[in-house]
């Protein structure tokens, strides 16, 4: 196995060798990866494999063994100056495949006895599928009330599903307790930084599809912030290599019913305040009351000159109907960005891209 980059705690600078350690041993927070690659020029991508592994120079793992052909999803015009990236056309029907393939690849190389994950649906399905591909046993902890369709998909991939009494946070706590057992790999799409280096390929693809440029604005849904933070990694890489001149603004979108990042943003805070009770929302994929990377999310939106927007459930439902009438039937979480963008005058003539992150299946 080739040497893997170290992990670094963004909160206190503690260095951790890439291993079965899943969090900072000092503060128990999520980790970043000490990996600062240089992307290859556009012309060098011709003829490469038609998956996210075409950006191999930027990924922290070498040649894959568990790929399902993830990545390279279409970019299509949506309305006016807005285009949509159809990330629901991934092997397991959500953008989570971008990060899950790196988690499974890493787990395969580390050789754990077992893999655990926690999810409300899409991440668990993706981890289950890629662990099946890798031949790794996996248990996915899910909160009570998780969609039966998504539970069926996880089990179909051979995952053991452990339903936890309580909410999303309770499921995460159960997974973290299991992750502390010896020989366990925690396939966390929040704590493990390899996941973010998978999601960053979303932006590398946009850059390639648009002929070496990027839109003026990227709008992404934010629960745990993995797509936003991955996008920021790619933007820094492309800008650092001189492959883009200006940086797009990064806008985060949350469901009004559960919007801790928006609340902190409006208060001018650098981190979350006291926990606030949320309300039920159809956009359950971004209904995260205490995202562990909240400080990083807020800092990133500021760094890239963006804003944090919220949308109501009626607005999400209306946007879902509108997309369906345009031929794109996706889950409520995947419509949040279109709900924030459509009909708004704030964007003027700027070019925008929104992700349609998960299928309504």
């Amino acid at each position: 196995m080739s040497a893997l980059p170290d992990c670094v705690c963004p909160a206190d600078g503690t260095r951790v060798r890439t291993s079965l350690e899943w969090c900072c041993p000092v503060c128990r927070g999520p980790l970043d990866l000490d990996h600062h690659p240089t992307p290859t020029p556009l012309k060098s991508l011709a003829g490469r494999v038609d998956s996210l592994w075409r950006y191999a120079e930027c990924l922290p793992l070498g040649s894959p063994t568990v790929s399902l052909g993830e990545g390279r999803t279409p970019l299509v015009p949506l309305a006016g100056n807005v285009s949509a990236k159809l990330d629901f056309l991934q092997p397991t029907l959500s953008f989570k495949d971008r990060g899950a393939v790196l988690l499974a690849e890493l787990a395969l190389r580390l050789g754990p006895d077992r893999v655990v994950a926690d999810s409300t649906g899409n991440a668990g399905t993706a981890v289950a599928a890629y662990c099946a591909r890798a031949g790794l046993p996996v248990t996915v902890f899910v909160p009570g009330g998780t969609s039966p369709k998504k539970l069926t998909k996880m089990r179909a991939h051979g995952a053991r599903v452990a339903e936890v009494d309580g909410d999303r946070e309770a499921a995460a706590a159960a997974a973290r307790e299991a992750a502390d057992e010896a020989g366990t790999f925690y396939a966390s799409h929040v704590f493990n930084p390899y996941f973010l280096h998978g999601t960053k390929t979303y932006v590398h693809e946009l850059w390639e599809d648009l002929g070496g440029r990027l839109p003026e604005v990227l709008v992404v849904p934010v629960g745990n912030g993995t797509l936003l933070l991955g996008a920021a990694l790619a933007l820094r890489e492309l800008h650092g290599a001189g492959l883009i001149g200006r940086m797009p603004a990064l806008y985060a979108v949350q469901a009004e019913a559960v919007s801790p990042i928006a609340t902190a943003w409006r208060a001018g805070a650098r981190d979350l305040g006291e926990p606030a009770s949320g309300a039920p929302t159809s956009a359950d994929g971004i209904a995260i009351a205490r995202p562990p990377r909240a400080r990083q999310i807020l800092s990133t939106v500021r760094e890239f000159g963006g804003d944090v927007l919220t949308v109501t459930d009626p607005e999400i439902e209306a946007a879902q109907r509108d997309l369906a009438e345009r031929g794109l039937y996706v889950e409520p979480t995947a419509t949040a960005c279109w709900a924030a963008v459509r009909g708004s005058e704030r964007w003027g003539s700027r070019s925008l891209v929104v992700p349609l992150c998960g299928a309504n299946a």
Side-chain angles (χ1 to χ4, degrees):
M1 182 178 67
S2 59
L4 297 171
D6 286 346
C7 297
V8 181
C9 176
D12 57 35
T14 301
R15 296 187 73 84
V16 181
R17 186 171 63 88
T18 292
S19 64
L20 296 183
E21 287 275 357
W22 62 269
C23 66
C24 173
V26 177
C27 71
R28 300 281 287 180
L31 297 166
D32 285 345
L33 205 59
D34 189 6
H35 180 63
H36 309 283
T38 299
T40 189
L42 191 64
K43 62 182 179 181
S44 299
L45 297 173
R48 291 194 176 191
V49 62
D50 195 29
S51 75
L52 62 79
W53 294 95
R54 68 196 284 110
Y55 312 109
E57 290 88 352
C58 292
L59 297 175
L61 298 169
S63 300
T65 57
V66 299
S67 176
L68 291 168
E70 55 287 330
R72 299 294 290 149
T73 54
L75 178 66
V76 300
L78 193 53
N81 57 342
V82 183
S83 295
K85 188 155 175 62
L86 310 189
D87 248 28
F88 66 93
L89 297 179
Q90 300 278 3
T92 77
L93 308 182
S94 89
F95 88 97
K96 298 289 176 59
D97 288 7
R98 294 184 182 276
V101 65
L102 266 74
L103 294 184
E105 187 72 37
L106 177 61
L108 190 64
R109 299 180 190 199
L110 294 176
D113 297 323
R114 69 195 67 83
V115 177
V116 299
D118 57 276
S119 173
T120 54
N122 287 341
T125 299
V127 169
Y130 283 94
C131 282
R133 186 73 165 179
L136 295 166
V138 61
T139 298
V140 183
F141 292 85
V142 301
T146 297
S147 163
K149 289 191 296 184
K150 292 181 178 178
L151 298 182
T152 296
K153 288 197 284 186
M154 292 179 213
R155 292 186 175 113
H157 291 306
R160 174 178 173 265
V161 176
E163 295 190 58
V164 177
D165 289 336
D167 59 10
R168 181 70 179 81
E169 293 299 312
R176 291 167 197 166
E177 182 178 353
D180 284 332
E181 296 176 12
T184 303
F185 177 84
Y186 184 21
S188 173
H189 57 291
V190 183
F191 279 76
N192 194 306
Y194 281 78
F195 193 93
L196 303 181
H197 283 265
T199 62
K200 75 182 181 184
T201 59
Y202 172 85
V203 166
H204 283 287
E205 290 178 18
L206 287 178
W207 169 75
E208 183 180 1
D209 290 340
L210 293 172
R213 59 182 181 84
L214 286 168
E216 293 167 277
V217 180
L218 294 175
V219 185
V220 296
V222 167
N224 278 310
T226 55
L227 185 53
L228 178 93
L229 296 174
L233 286 174
L235 293 176
R236 296 185 193 109
E237 289 170 5
L238 291 165
H239 189 263
L243 296 174
I244 55 172
R246 56 164 181 77
M247 301 279 241
L250 272 178
Y251 280 69
V253 178
Q254 296 209 287
E256 181 67 42
V258 184
S259 51
I261 299 296
T263 299
W265 178 264
R266 291 165 184 164
R270 300 287 172 177
D271 205 345
L272 300 184
E274 292 299 313
S277 58
T281 173
S282 59
D284 58 350
I286 52 173
I288 309 298
R290 300 288 298 178
R293 293 186 184 269
R295 178 180 286 271
Q296 286 179 283
I297 295 167
L298 290 163
S299 173
T300 297
V301 175
R302 289 190 178 94
E303 177 187 350
F304 288 91
D307 199 352
V308 183
L309 311 176
T310 59
V311 289
T312 65
D313 266 47
E315 289 171 330
I316 290 170
E317 291 157 10
Q320 185 181 36
R321 290 193 299 271
D322 182 61
L323 284 170
E325 290 169 0
R326 298 171 188 268
L328 298 164
Y329 189 47
V330 294
E331 67 182 9
T333 298
T335 70
C337 290
W338 180 232
V341 165
R342 75 186 193 114
S344 174
E345 297 181 356
R346 74 161 59 232
W347 314 107
S349 61
R350 290 184 292 175
S351 56
L352 295 84
V353 171
V354 299
L356 302 185
C357 296
N360 198 14

